[in-house]
Every structure is written in C-alpha cells, then in structure tokens.
Amino acid sequence: GGIRPDLGYSNSPLAFENLLLVTVGGHNGQAVVAFDQKTGERMWASHSDHNGYSSPITIDAAGVQQTVFFTGTQAVSVAPATGEIYWTYPWRTDSYENVSTPVFIPGDKIFLSSPHPKDKGSAVLQIGRSGNGLAVSPLWKNNAMKNHFSTSIYKDNYIYGTDRAILKCIDSRTGETMWRQRGFGEGTLIYADGHLIVLGTYGKLGLVEATHTAYREKASAQILSGKCYTVPSLANGRLYVRNQREIVCLDFQQR
C-alpha cells in the first residue's frame, strides 16, 4: 500500500547490525521496514503512515536504543532490532514534506523541523520514561527554524541551520533566535573544526565561525552557479561541492 512521494524517494537507508532500515511508506504496519543486509529478506515491518523525505537515525535516549523515523505525518521511534514502536509524535505538513533529518541532542532530546507546518515549524522533544515504556513531550515549539531540505547542526547547546532563506542560530534549550543572516538562500551546511561550511542555493560558499554570539564570516566566494541542493562533503582537507551540472573540489588545507 505504499505511495511514491510526489518528489520521489530521497530517504537514505540506515545500517543497523545485520539489518537495513528503510522508510517505504504504507499502511497496515508497513511504513518502515527492516531487511537482512545479506539476503534482502524482510525481517520486520512497522508503523503506518505516508512516506516523507527524511532519513532515519539511531540514538540512545532515556536509556533505550531506538531508531527515529520522520515519516509523512509523524515522528516515530522504534526498536531497531524488532520494529516495536516506542513513541510517536504528530507532525503534519503540506505535501508530506518532512525532509530534514531529526537532530539528536545528547541526553534525551531530539529536534524536528519542516518547511510547511500546519502550526509550528520546529520543536525540541523531550524523551522520557512513562510507566514501562517511553513518551515524548515538546520542551518548546515555534517557527524560528523551518528547515526545508537542509538538516540543521547541533553544537554546544545551539542549533545552526537555514530557516527557509535565512541562515540562523537558535538556542536548543529555549528556541530563541541568537542571530540571523541572509545571502545563502535555502542552503546546506556542515560543521568542521569550530566552523560552519555553508553552500548557498545558488553557489555562494561561506566559512562561518560556529558561535552563538554573532554571525562571524571568515571567508566567502561565489564558486558555482545554478541550483546547489547537495550538502558539501569534506574529506582529507578537500571540500567537494556540486550543482546540477558539475562538481568542484576545493583544497581546504592550511599551508
């Protein structure tokens, strides 16, 4: 009963021990599925929901290892080995556009964000014990950070990401906006050595200090044209970025 998402499948599978955990979308307990990595045999299926575009993560929270999926209308936590559902949290958006990956905040919290929410676009959920099981409740929920296709980054109590077309830093404990900066559109970003490497939607590359006190740009350059939707990759001192036509490799090593 799965339905192909309007914009195609973009979820990344998640490896867990001998399993491959995949968001497939579907009803009657068929929305998330685990396959045997070697044989492709279906080992378990769980949850019921329309497909979203987000990729799952495995976390340890409230003393329990769990995999969190951000499906079309909900966040859902399951036991990665069996598919048992630990908790769900409703998150309805236009066109089922839950795209960004949930961000784990070490301890027992998780950050969710979407671009077209029915009420609020971002929240931090508290994961805790409830009787013999688990439950979640929002610590805060507001419109300070509406991630579209770019996943935010958590560092030292602060969340850095794109609120639609504005690069922002918010306090993960309160949802308060610490600073904002235009110029990158709905860009993507990664963290490295105390800095954010930000690739704008139309090819502007920025090196920004990862601090909550103010926006501090160390360098920027226009390196590509056209649409840049792919997150940068950094390996062995080299940065790889691309648009829809070409890929560029930049030497980021200190001389």
Side-chain angles (χ1 to χ4, degrees):
I3 300 173
R4 181 183 181 274
D6 292 342
L7 301 176
Y9 292 97
S10 69
N11 329 87
S12 296
L14 177 67
F16 175 79
E17 296 180 353
N18 65 318
L19 300 176
L20 199 65
L21 311 183
V22 184
T23 308
V24 298
H27 301 287
N28 300 317
Q30 306 290 317
V32 296
V33 178
F35 299 97
D36 185 286
Q37 290 183 15
K38 293 183 178 180
T39 67
E41 179 185 358
R42 190 177 71 171
M43 305 305 292
W44 58 254
S46 184
H47 191 48
S48 297
D49 197 9
H50 195 285
N51 211 336
Y53 300 92
S54 175
S55 299
I57 59 171
T58 296
I59 65 175
D60 288 289
V64 178
Q65 188 177 49
Q66 49 198 284
T67 299
V68 180
F69 293 85
F70 201 15
T71 54
T73 69
Q74 298 178 71
V76 57
S77 165
V78 306
T82 66
E84 175 192 355
I85 295 177
Y86 289 133
W87 56 262
T88 62
Y89 188 80
W91 198 277
R92 182 71 170 89
T93 56
D94 294 339
S95 304
Y96 307 103
E97 281 194 57
N98 292 329
V99 184
S100 64
T101 300
V103 177
F104 179 55
I105 298 175
D108 51 11
K109 301 176 184 66
I110 197 160
F111 172 75
L112 302 176
S113 184
S114 287
H116 306 296
K118 292 299 183 184
D119 49 4
K120 304 296 183 183
S122 57
V124 167
L125 306 182
Q126 176 87 49
I127 305 169
R129 291 281 184 174
S130 177
N132 295 325
L134 297 176
V136 290
S137 59
L139 284 181
W140 57 262
K141 193 173 184 181
N142 63 28
N143 278 324
M145 184 76 79
K146 299 183 293 295
N147 293 157
H148 195 183
F149 53 82
S150 174
T151 299
S152 286
I153 291 170
Y154 171 82
K155 179 65 176 174
D156 297 334
N157 292 321
Y158 295 93
I159 294 170
Y160 303 90
T162 50
D163 175 29
R164 293 308 304 248
I166 304 174
L167 182 66
K168 280 187 178 180
C169 170
I170 66 172
D171 191 324
S172 70
R173 298 161 293 188
T174 64
E176 178 187 1
T177 297
M178 308 307 295
W179 55 254
R180 65 190 74 201
Q181 180 69 29
R182 292 187 179 273
F184 294 99
E186 294 185 317
T188 57
L189 66 164
I190 59 174
Y191 172 87
D193 295 335
H195 292 80
L196 307 171
I197 300 173
V198 187
L199 180 63
T201 311
Y202 295 101
K204 178 184 176 181
L205 184 69
L207 183 66
V208 180
E209 187 177 342
T211 176
H212 67 279
T213 56
Y215 174 81
R216 294 176 181 166
E217 184 178 291
K218 297 295 187 66
S220 65
Q222 187 72 35
I223 60 166
L224 286 167
S225 60
K227 294 179 180 179
C228 302
Y229 287 165
T230 304
V231 65
S233 296
L234 182 66
N236 300 318
R238 293 184 175 184
L239 185 75
Y240 301 85
V241 294
R242 64 178 288 256
N243 58 19
Q244 294 177 315
R245 298 185 304 276
E246 61 182 340
I247 185 169
V248 174
C249 176
L250 303 171
D251 189 348
F252 258 45
Q253 299 180 78
Q254 291 184 334
R255 300 301 183 184

